[in-house]
Amino acid sequence: MKKITDMLRCLSVFSLLVLTGCWSSHEIEELGLTFAMGIDKGSETALEKKFDKMGGDYPKKDRITMIYQYVNEQAAGSKASGGGGSPQKSYFNIYETGDSLQQISAEVALRLDRPIFSPHLKVIVVAGELLRTYSLEELLDQPLRDNEIRPSSLVLVTRGKAKDTLNLKETGEMPAFRLRKIVENEYKTKKVLPPVTLAKLTGKMRSGSSFLIQNVVGADGEVKYAGAAAINGKNNKLIGYLDEEDLEGVMWITGQGKGGAVKSYDTKAKKLNAFAVETINSNIKPVVKGGRLSFQVNVESEGHLAENWNTAEKAFDNKFLERVEKNTAQTVKKQMEQITKKMQRQYKADLAGFGNQLRIKHPRLWKKLKKNWDQTFTDIPIKYHVQITIKDYGTVGDQ
């Protein structure tokens, strides 16, 4: 009986140890919830310079300025309690300059009572200016190694300053959430790239193939997705930027677009029409003939007549619809040809995945060409064929 009692006591003590919880846990109120990170070219803020003069400096080079977007707990608390007074922004940004992301985050811990806590990080914005000097691998090595940061964090590049994309004039919304949610509007436009997260970026950087990352710009407290940044597959540095029309051309080539509109002009009446895209199917076909390589790209798209400025025409007239289809197809073909010309002559890089299709369909030939593929790509003939089908013309017909 005594042995049983002793055993029960031991089990009770052991149970208490198990139920004590995580020894390393922290209360949520003690953590600095960080939802966005920005990486700009190094430039100390006025506050940092004052700290330096008063002994707050340390050995470093001012290569990068990090922006950490914190939740403003005071604003959150005010909303929860229904408090009045002037509205506060739901976030605040901390700036710190240096040459090591890890050391910079440690410096932030010397300034705030809530150190950086990044498991909920939504987005990382990198200034494109930095990518002319440093590679993406160098700038994002620390976030990729950090087990605290989720691989699902979205990566964006900005043609301007990262800090401008992490500020909104509205008080109730966090820039990190808006930047992340704009991706969901891809069904409305072909100017939104499939999201490049930290997890996907790792594969792209190691593939050796050039690729695109969504470009975002900020001005006057507003943000906008504006084209894309082209990244060199060899060194993971910036090649240049694609504007919105360039990006749209790439999306037609790859068939990744899910929505949007194509504006064309009626060749007969010289009036504007708009075709609303519902589906896109693209087939990039490598053609090897007589030892020569070329590509044929066949694009098919269905949608509806969304806008017609030629009020004299009957929207359900077959001849009119055929004319709109033809004009729309010519517009799409022109977009694809324009960006192809830029890829081959200006950027000298395959940014639309032609090499990947060659790898899939002609692996032996790809093995021979992949080492210098971007250079080879500049001389390869590419032909486009576009088929547009208008399924309906909306609710307005013959009035």
Side-chain angles (χ1 to χ4, degrees):
M1 184 70 180
K2 185 179 179 182
K3 287 184 178 179
I4 295 174
T5 304
D6 290 341
M7 188 179 295
L8 289 172
R9 284 175 181 172
C10 290
L11 286 173
S12 299
V13 172
F14 178 75
S15 299
L16 289 172
L17 289 172
V18 173
L19 295 172
T20 54
C22 297
W23 65 270
S24 60
S25 65
H26 295 278
E27 294 298 328
I28 191 74
E29 295 84 0
E30 298 174 357
L31 300 172
L33 292 177
T34 311
F35 286 110
M37 230 166 64
I39 310 177
D40 268 330
K41 185 176 180 181
S43 179
E44 281 195 329
T45 62
L47 178 60
E48 287 181 276
K49 290 176 181 177
K50 288 179 181 179
F51 283 154
D52 290 347
K53 288 181 180 179
M54 293 184 285
D57 59 337
Y58 64 97
K60 64 180 173 67
K61 293 181 180 179
D62 295 337
R63 290 178 176 169
I64 56 175
T65 294
M66 295 296 300
I67 304 104
Y68 297 98
Q69 189 160 100
Y70 274 69
V71 171
N72 185 349
E73 59 179 3
Q74 292 182 349
S78 176
K79 286 180 183 178
S81 62
S86 59
Q88 298 182 55
K89 287 193 173 183
S90 57
Y91 67 92
F92 63 91
N93 294 335
I94 293 294
Y95 302 84
E96 189 68 37
T97 304
D99 51 15
S100 160
L101 274 67
Q102 187 67 26
Q103 192 173 41
I104 287 172
S105 66
E107 287 295 308
V108 174
L110 300 176
R111 294 174 53 184
L112 299 179
D113 60 341
R114 294 181 296 140
I116 296 166
F117 185 66
S118 302
H120 300 285
L121 193 74
K122 301 295 181 186
V123 62
I124 300 173
V125 184
V126 182
E129 184 181 11
L130 278 171
L131 291 174
R132 297 194 185 277
T133 305
Y134 309 106
S135 70
L136 268 173
E137 281 183 302
E138 292 172 315
L139 292 172
L140 297 180
D141 181 77
Q142 190 272 339
L144 285 166
R145 291 177 185 274
D146 193 341
N147 291 330
E148 193 177 82
I149 295 177
R150 291 182 181 179
S152 59
S153 299
L154 179 67
V155 179
L156 300 170
V157 172
T158 178
R159 198 167 185 168
K161 294 185 181 298
K163 68 177 183 179
D164 293 334
T165 69
L166 297 178
N167 278 295
L168 292 177
K169 59 186 177 184
E170 290 91 347
T171 57
E173 187 176 5
M174 291 196 70
F177 294 160
R178 180 177 294 187
L179 290 174
R180 185 69 194 231
K181 288 185 73 66
I182 289 176
V183 174
E184 298 174 10
N185 294 335
E186 61 183 354
Y187 72 99
K188 280 287 188 180
T189 174
K190 292 184 300 304
K191 300 173 183 179
V192 176
L193 278 169
V196 176
T197 60
L198 280 174
K200 290 181 180 178
L201 186 61
T202 303
K204 288 180 179 292
M205 290 191 298
R206 293 176 181 174
S207 69
S209 300
S210 298
F211 59 94
L212 297 174
I213 298 182
Q214 187 77 53
N215 178 65
V216 61
V217 293
D220 300 327
E222 296 284 352
V223 294
K224 181 184 180 182
Y225 274 24
I231 307 298
N232 188 301
K234 296 284 186 183
N235 56 26
N236 290 310
K237 291 184 178 180
L238 184 73
I239 298 173
Y241 296 97
L242 274 63
D243 61 25
E244 290 185 28
E245 189 174 12
D246 291 337
L247 177 56
E248 198 166 20
V250 171
M251 297 293 270
W252 276 107
I253 293 171
T254 59
Q256 291 177 312
K258 295 184 179 180
V262 180
K263 182 177 66 178
S264 64
Y265 290 89
D266 191 320
T267 52
K268 180 180 178 182
K270 308 298 181 185
K271 295 284 187 177
L272 181 148
N273 298 302
F275 169 75
V277 179
E278 294 178 11
T279 63
I280 300 176
N281 290 306
S282 174
N283 177 32
I284 299 175
K285 181 182 178 182
V287 179
V288 182
K289 202 175 215 182
R292 288 190 160 189
L293 172 65
S294 63
F295 286 95
Q296 289 182 359
V297 181
N298 296 307
V299 176
E300 296 180 357
S301 178
E302 290 187 346
H304 63 272
L305 181 65
E307 190 175 6
N308 175 30
W309 285 63
N310 187 5
T311 55
E313 290 283 0
K314 296 178 181 180
F316 54 80
D317 181 77
N318 287 335
K319 289 185 178 179
F320 169 67
L321 293 177
E322 287 173 6
R323 203 161 68 238
V324 175
E325 290 173 342
K326 183 179 178 181
N327 294 336
T328 302
Q330 288 176 344
T331 300
V332 171
K333 184 179 179 182
K334 185 178 178 181
Q335 278 187 320
M336 293 191 294
E337 288 174 342
Q338 283 178 339
I339 185 56
T340 300
K341 185 177 179 180
K342 283 188 178 182
M343 286 191 293
Q344 292 186 320
R345 297 185 185 178
Q346 181 179 339
Y347 302 122
K348 299 186 184 303
D350 172 14
L351 303 172
F354 287 94
N356 190 48
Q357 293 303 313
L358 181 63
R359 178 187 63 81
I360 294 170
K361 292 162 186 173
H362 297 276
R364 289 184 181 178
L365 181 58
W366 171 248
K367 192 174 181 180
K368 293 178 182 178
L369 300 177
K370 68 176 182 178
K371 187 175 180 180
N372 297 304
W373 172 246
D374 277 346
Q375 183 59 44
T376 304
F377 171 74
T378 61
D379 296 320
I380 295 177
I382 301 172
K383 292 184 178 180
Y384 294 100
H385 176 74
V386 182
Q387 178 67 48
I388 299 293
T389 303
I390 296 176
K391 297 195 300 180
D392 62 76
Y393 41 81
T395 58
V396 179
D398 186 19
Q399 298 295 327

